[in-house]
Amino acid sequence: MLFHEEDESGRPHYEDREQLRIALRALPPEQGRVIVLSVFYGLTAKETADVEGIPLGTAKTRIRRGIAKLREALEVSGD
C-alpha cells in the first residue's frame, strides 16, 4: 500500500512526509498534479480530469502511472 492509515482529517498518511514530498516533486508535473488532486484532495478521476481539462482516460492513466512511480521511489509494496 502506498499510504498507511488515514490521519484525523481523513487523508492518507505516509510515515515520512519529507520523503513523500521529494518523490512527488520528482514526478513529471502532469502526474504530480493529478496525484495531489486525487489522493490528497480526494477528487474522483472524473473530477480530476475536469480540473486538469484532460480526458478521463488520460487522468486515470496519469494517476495510475504516478502512483506506480511513487511506490517505486518509496520502495513500497503494492499490497
Side-chain angles (χ1 to χ4, degrees):
M1 191 123 181
L2 177 59
F3 299 99
H4 297 276
E5 71 280 348
E6 294 179 348
D7 65 16
E8 58 279 348
S9 70
R11 291 190 209 133
H13 170 75
Y14 186 72
E15 289 176 352
D16 188 341
R17 291 177 190 268
E18 186 58 26
Q19 185 181 8
L20 180 58
R21 281 188 199 104
I22 291 167
L24 272 169
R25 284 189 212 118
L27 291 176
E30 64 276 1
Q31 285 179 349
R33 287 192 307 267
V34 297
I35 295 297
V36 169
L37 291 170
S38 64
V39 175
F40 296 102
Y41 286 98
L43 298 183
T44 65
K46 172 74 169 107
E47 292 167 333
T48 298
D50 290 345
V51 168
E52 286 291 295
I54 57 177
L56 177 58
T58 301
K60 288 179 177 181
T61 298
R62 288 180 184 176
I63 292 166
R64 186 180 68 252
R65 289 181 181 169
I67 288 174
K69 286 181 182 180
L70 286 177
R71 283 186 174 137
E72 183 179 311
L74 298 170
E75 297 181 42
V76 178
S77 70
D79 49 18

